[in-house]
């Protein structure tokens, strides 16, 4: 499955406006960054527990109606165009919102073992061979103002519980090895670390080499 080029160009333009050219370049060009592939048997998933969101925070499914009719917005335009691109590709996700502002999100897609071209590019890039009933989770983010409250663990666990309730037996994901917050989150949830890759990307061209 390929991304819609028009949306990606809009996203890149807005990213430059939002964060500057240097940040945008780092987002699309990197060389040899280490990425860890993880997997989880959802039958071993912990309960959601007694954690409660702070007043004003809520988790909702991401849809076009969320933006067009409910008035929910992203603080940065680049994130909005990325969400539109993902929705067009058929990906699904959850947004953590404070009133009408998205302050965090996580995306996922089901793995199609019968037609590899329908999958998220990372599924093929990292050689994920999940059977039917598997899903790939990606692109998780929390706004700095809501970090440090264990929300990353809760948001990811919420999404995993949704997948299990929908009949998904196994989930896959990745995180950057240099991202200590992501490492901590995945280990708190007891993901199994499968392989480590060195990833090289130049704009739309991406390659992963297993270590």
């Amino acid at each position: 499955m390929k991304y819609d080029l028009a949306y990606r160009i809009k996203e890149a333009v807005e990213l430059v406006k939002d964060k500057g050219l240097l940040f945008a370049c780092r987002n699309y060009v990197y060389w040899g960054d280490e990425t860890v592939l993880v997997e989880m048997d959802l039958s071993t998933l912990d309960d959601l527990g007694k954690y409660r969101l702070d007043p004003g925070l809520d988790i909702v499914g991401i849809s076009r109606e969320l933006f067009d009719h409910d008035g929910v917005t992203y603080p940065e335009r680049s994130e909005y165009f990325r969400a539109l691109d993902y929705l067009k590709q058929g990906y699904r996700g959850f947004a953590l919102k404070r009133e009408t502002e998205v302050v965090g999100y996580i995306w996922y897609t089901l793995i199609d073992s019968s037609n590899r071209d329908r999958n998220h590019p990372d599924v093929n890039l990292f050689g994920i061979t999940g059977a039917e009933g598997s899903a790939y989770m990606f692109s998780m983010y929390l706004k700095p103002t809501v970090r440090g409250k264990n929300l990353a663990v809760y948001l990811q666990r919420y999404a995993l519980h949704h997948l299990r309730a929908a009949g998904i037996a196994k989930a896959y994901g990745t995180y950057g090895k240099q991202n200590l917050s992501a490492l901590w989150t995945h280990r708190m949830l007891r993901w199994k670390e499968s392989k480590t890759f060195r990833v090289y990307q130049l704009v739309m061209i991406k390659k992963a080499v297993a270590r």
Side-chain angles (χ1 to χ4, degrees):
M1 183 177 288
K2 299 180 184 290
Y3 293 119
D4 185 284
L5 183 58
Y7 278 125
R8 294 312 294 266
I9 292 173
K10 289 179 182 177
E11 177 196 333
V13 170
E14 295 298 331
L15 187 60
V16 172
K17 293 179 182 177
D18 291 337
K19 298 289 186 67
L21 181 60
L22 182 58
F23 183 93
C25 288
R26 288 174 177 169
N27 197 59
Y28 292 107
V29 180
Y30 41 89
W31 207 253
D33 290 3
E34 290 190 322
T35 295
V36 180
L37 175 66
V38 295
E39 59 186 66
M40 182 187 293
D41 179 347
L42 296 188
S43 67
T44 66
L45 183 63
D46 291 337
D47 292 336
L48 272 174
K50 297 180 180 179
Y51 187 90
R52 293 292 181 269
L53 295 174
D54 291 340
L57 288 176
D58 192 17
I59 297 177
V60 295
I62 300 175
S63 66
R64 190 64 187 256
E65 290 73 22
L66 188 68
F67 310 121
D68 294 345
H69 302 299
D70 297 343
V72 175
T73 62
Y74 278 91
E76 297 175 354
R77 293 276 293 171
S78 57
E79 297 290 352
Y80 171 68
F81 282 113
R82 178 179 296 178
L84 294 183
D85 183 23
Y86 285 171
L87 289 172
K88 187 172 182 179
Q89 301 302 323
Y91 304 152
R92 307 166 194 176
F94 291 99
L96 175 68
K97 69 181 184 73
R98 174 180 284 140
E99 298 180 351
T100 60
E101 180 187 49
V102 174
V103 295
Y105 52 80
I106 187 168
W107 290 87
Y108 70 92
T109 180
L110 303 184
I111 296 175
D112 189 338
S113 60
S114 64
N115 188 338
R116 304 289 291 174
D117 291 337
R118 294 178 181 173
N119 288 319
H120 186 287
D122 284 356
V123 171
N124 298 331
L125 180 70
F126 296 114
I128 299 171
T129 56
E132 293 297 325
S134 300
Y136 176 66
M137 302 180 71
F138 62 98
S139 193
M140 181 174 176
Y141 174 79
L142 286 179
K143 194 175 178 181
T145 54
V146 296
R147 293 177 188 171
K149 300 178 180 180
N150 216 27
L151 285 171
V153 173
Y154 184 80
L155 177 59
Q156 195 171 133
R157 185 175 285 153
Y158 182 97
L160 289 166
H161 272 271
H162 171 84
L163 290 175
R164 187 172 71 176
I168 302 303
K170 194 167 187 178
Y172 296 85
T174 59
Y175 69 86
K177 195 170 184 178
Q178 73 282 358
N179 188 334
L180 296 181
S181 295
L183 183 150
W184 177 83
T185 297
H186 284 78
R187 290 187 176 175
M188 282 285 290
L189 288 164
R190 297 189 295 181
W191 286 85
K192 176 185 175 183
E193 297 178 5
S194 177
K195 295 180 182 178
T196 300
F197 296 82
R198 287 196 178 275
V199 179
Y200 304 85
Q201 178 169 342
L202 181 59
V203 192
M204 301 292 285
I205 301 172
K206 196 172 183 179
K207 181 179 180 181
V209 179
R211 292 197 61 189

